[in-house]
């Protein structure tokens, strides 16, 4: 597939790295010649320095033969125009645009993105996706990463294992025997620099980061078994009242039962947040000032989310929150270089807008009938939710005979609405939904298994 990516920032770079590693023909466009030179040196892509919405630049990038254009520059307007030109002049079949401006995303303007108005097939909103990720963290506060699949009936629980984890040094196959009826499966383990899909005889060790897939109904029991029972979340403090903080506050208000306070430094933003929120107390001032933290009740808060547009502020405010006595500290961190540092400072969970946005884009790229994609780690692995198609290599096969790549495994199967924990003899039928864990090198192999074989026609 020939793919043009407009914008070589963190999101565009990560998507280019991921897709070029999967042997796609990727062209990366950016005005910054330095970023393009870095891409040409580090990635297997063609880098072009130029304005992404200029017709001659898209022409040089080979837009006439392009299968997909992803517009992910820092400018919403450039992204919109790039999609328009890609359609009008070059007939690019599919166009994805990242839009950040809140006014573009209001429900009353949803008709704007019909094909008769704008030539955008998919709109990705980082702010909305990050707000959803933040709410997911609050739903599973003892994890460092979490996501739901299969219409919310299946959940990923990413757990940092400590010395007091009850299931250390136990073969994974024995978890079934010890905890009867538990619909949970360890699908991935990070051990040091290694990220892998475990075998049934593998054991968990202290210091591991385990990625567990479980039925939503079994999530609380799974967390108990792994020694990470979730604390109740009733009092939440948000630091940062921009689009993300406002979206999180509005969602928490709609849930009810949660006391929310929001701190925003900028007076104008604070006033806008106060106008749009009905049950959230909005405080204007420096979220790192100890007096304001005390006024917001931060020492007794069950969770503090630092959601400003400055990574360092988010990291330092999260550290201060933990030192002040907050139960849980979650920080928004864009810069991947800061993430290892943040993890050593006692911050419970990090939210990476880059990873969240990349997952959103990949959801629309995978072949086969893909329903969802979630990127894990530094795009080192993915969870792929897909439907088994008639005529695909998976249809009619048992999991034992499915010829999965060595770095992949099936985490759960949905058969007509019933969740089935996969066994070697579980048969995959057309129409079944499967959730597959795969390390990045094995994703092309998974895509082949999900596609309909030409022999079937």
């Amino acid at each position: 597939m020939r793919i043009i990516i407009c914008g070589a920032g963190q999101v565009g770079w990560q998507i280019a790295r991921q897709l070029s590693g999967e042997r796609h023909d990727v062209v990366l466009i950016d005005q910054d010649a330095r970023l393009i030179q870095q891409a040409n040196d580090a990635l297997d892509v063609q880098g072009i320095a130029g304005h992404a919405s200029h017709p001659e630049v898209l022409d040089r990038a080979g837009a006439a033969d392009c299968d997909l254009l992803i517009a992910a520059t820092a400018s919403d307007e450039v992204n919109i125009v790039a999609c328009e030109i890609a359609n009008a002049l070059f007939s690019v079949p599919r166009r994805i645009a990242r839009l950040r401006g809140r006014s573009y995303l209001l429900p009353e303007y949803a008709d704007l993105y019909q094909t008769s108005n704008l030539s955008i097939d998919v709109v990705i909103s980082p702010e909305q996706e990050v707000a959803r990720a933040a709410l997911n963290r609050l739903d599973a506060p003892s994890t460092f990463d979490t996501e739901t699949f299969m219409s919310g009936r299946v959940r990923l629980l990413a757990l940092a294992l400590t010395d007091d984890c009850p299931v250390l040094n136990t073969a994974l196959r024995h978890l079934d025997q010890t905890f009867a009826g538990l619909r949970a499966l360890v699908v991935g383990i990070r051990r040091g620099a290694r990220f892998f899909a475990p075998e049934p005889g593998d054991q968990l060790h202290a210091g591991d980061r385990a990625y567990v897939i479980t039925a939503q109904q079994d999530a609380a029991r799974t967390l108990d078994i792994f020694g990470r029972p979730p604390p109740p979340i009733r009092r939440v403090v948000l630091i940062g009242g921009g689009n993300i903080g406002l979206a999180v506050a509005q969602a928490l208000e709609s849930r009810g039962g949660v006391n929310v306070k929001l701190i925003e430094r900028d007076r104008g933003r604070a006033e806008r947040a106060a106008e749009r929120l009905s049950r959230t107390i909005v405080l204007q001032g420096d979220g790192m000032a100890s007096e304001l933290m005390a006024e917001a009740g931060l020492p007794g808060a069950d969770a503090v989310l630092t959601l400003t547009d400055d990574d360092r502020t988010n990291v330092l405010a999260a550290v201060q929150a933990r030192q002040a006595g907050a139960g849980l500290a979650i920080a928004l961190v864009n810069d991947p270089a800061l993430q290892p540092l943040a993890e050593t400072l006692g911050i419970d969970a990090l939210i990476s807008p880059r990873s969240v946005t990349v997952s959103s884009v990949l959801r629309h790229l995978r072949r086969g009938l893909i329903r969802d994609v979630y990127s894990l780690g530094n795009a080192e692995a993915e969870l792929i939710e897909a439907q088994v198609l008639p005529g695909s290599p998976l249809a009619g096969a048992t999991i034992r005979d499915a010829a999965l790549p060595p770095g992949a495994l099936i985490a759960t199967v949905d058969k007509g609405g019933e969740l089935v924990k996969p066994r070697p003899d579980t048969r995959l039928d057309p129409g079944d939904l499967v959730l597959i864990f795969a390390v990045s090198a094995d994703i092309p192999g998974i895509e082949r298994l999900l596609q309909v074989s030409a022999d079937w026609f």
Side-chain angles (χ1 to χ4, degrees):
M1 183 184 295
R2 185 172 180 82
I3 301 170
I4 295 176
I5 300 171
C6 303
Q10 291 184 8
V11 170
W13 178 282
Q14 186 63 48
I15 296 170
R17 190 186 79 157
Q18 180 88 9
L19 296 179
S20 64
E22 297 172 16
R23 308 293 178 86
H24 292 287
D25 183 5
V26 177
V27 182
L28 187 61
I29 301 172
D30 199 280
Q31 290 189 89
D32 190 333
R34 179 182 54 85
L35 291 177
I36 291 301
Q37 185 60 53
Q38 290 175 356
N40 284 329
D41 292 343
L43 304 176
D44 185 15
V45 302
Q46 177 189 355
I48 294 179
H51 201 289
S53 62
H54 286 183
E56 68 272 17
V57 175
L58 291 174
D59 193 18
R60 270 199 295 140
D65 299 317
C66 177
D67 300 296
L68 170 68
L69 180 134
I70 302 170
T73 75
S75 168
D76 289 352
E77 291 70 28
V78 169
N79 294 339
I80 292 171
V81 173
C83 288
E84 287 291 310
I85 292 176
N87 177 62
L89 296 184
F90 303 104
S91 300
V92 176
R94 296 180 64 203
R95 302 157 302 276
I96 297 175
R98 180 181 70 169
L99 300 182
R100 306 183 68 174
R102 187 174 182 274
S103 59
Y104 285 121
L105 306 169
L106 294 174
E108 54 263 40
Y109 304 136
D111 290 345
L112 180 65
Y113 305 107
Q114 293 181 359
T115 53
S116 58
N117 296 322
L118 283 181
S119 301
I120 301 175
D121 297 298
V122 177
V123 172
I124 303 294
S125 166
E127 282 77 9
Q128 291 181 350
E129 295 289 340
V130 169
R132 190 177 66 85
L135 293 165
N136 258 332
R137 294 290 194 278
L138 293 178
D139 290 335
S142 54
T143 68
F144 66 85
D145 195 3
T146 186
E147 180 59 284
T148 59
F149 302 89
M150 296 184 175
S151 302
R153 294 178 299 122
V154 174
R155 181 174 284 277
L156 161 71
L157 302 171
L159 304 168
L161 305 185
T162 55
D163 290 326
D164 58 356
C165 174
V167 294
L168 294 184
N169 306 314
T170 301
L172 296 179
R173 67 163 65 94
H174 294 157
L175 294 181
D176 274 354
Q177 303 165 11
T178 308
F179 305 102
L182 180 68
R183 292 173 295 176
L185 185 70
V186 179
V187 297
I189 298 174
R190 179 189 295 283
R191 182 169 295 155
R194 187 183 175 208
F195 198 169
F196 61 97
E199 299 288 342
D202 286 337
Q203 300 179 358
L204 298 173
H205 301 155
D208 283 353
R209 293 190 159 223
Y211 293 79
V212 185
I213 295 296
T214 183
Q216 178 66 50
Q217 293 178 338
D218 294 347
R221 183 186 177 201
T222 301
L223 290 168
D224 280 336
I225 288 169
F226 281 81
R228 302 303 302 269
I233 302 295
R234 299 188 181 92
R235 291 170 296 178
V236 176
V237 176
L238 308 176
I239 299 178
N243 290 340
I244 295 172
L246 180 60
V248 172
Q250 289 172 328
L252 291 174
E253 284 190 347
S254 68
R255 291 183 177 188
V258 181
N259 178 282
V260 184
K261 294 182 180 178
L262 185 150
I263 302 174
E264 168 56 44
R265 178 195 293 268
D266 182 80
R267 179 174 294 278
R269 276 187 177 181
E271 290 174 351
R272 286 193 295 272
E275 290 171 359
R276 293 171 182 166
L277 297 169
S278 57
R279 292 187 291 107
T280 298
I281 297 174
V282 178
L283 303 173
Q284 189 268 318
D286 184 355
M288 294 177 61
S290 55
E291 300 84 0
L292 195 57
M293 282 187 167
E295 184 180 349
L298 190 142
D302 298 313
V304 175
L305 285 74
T306 58
L307 305 171
T308 77
D309 54 9
D310 183 84
D311 284 355
R312 288 167 176 76
T313 296
N314 291 338
V315 169
L316 292 174
V319 171
Q320 277 189 275
R322 285 306 305 268
Q323 292 174 345
L328 179 74
I330 300 172
L332 184 71
V333 178
N334 286 277
D335 186 353
L338 284 177
Q339 293 181 10
L341 172 64
E343 292 169 3
T344 65
L345 295 176
I347 298 173
D348 297 284
L350 300 174
I351 301 171
S352 167
R354 181 192 64 165
S355 297
V356 171
T357 306
V358 168
S359 291
S360 300
V361 172
L362 293 177
R363 189 178 305 142
H364 301 283
L365 294 182
R366 295 289 174 237
R367 297 187 179 96
L369 196 54
I370 305 297
R371 291 163 50 101
D372 201 358
V373 172
Y374 190 67
S375 180
L376 301 175
N378 189 22
E380 298 155 284
E382 288 180 16
L383 283 164
I384 302 171
E385 179 185 333
Q387 188 170 8
V388 177
L389 296 174
S392 70
L394 290 181
T398 63
I399 290 178
R400 178 188 292 111
D401 299 328
L404 293 170
L409 54 82
I410 293 178
T412 193
V413 181
D414 179 343
K415 288 184 170 290
E418 179 186 357
L419 295 179
V420 176
K421 186 173 181 178
R423 310 284 181 188
D425 59 351
T426 300
R427 175 187 169 94
L428 301 175
D429 297 311
D432 287 352
L433 297 180
V434 291
L435 183 60
I436 302 173
F437 170 90
V439 297
S440 57
D442 289 329
I443 289 169
I446 294 298
E447 288 187 309
R448 286 191 291 271
L449 290 176
L450 293 172
Q451 294 179 73
V452 176
S453 169
D455 297 337
W456 185 73
F457 292 98

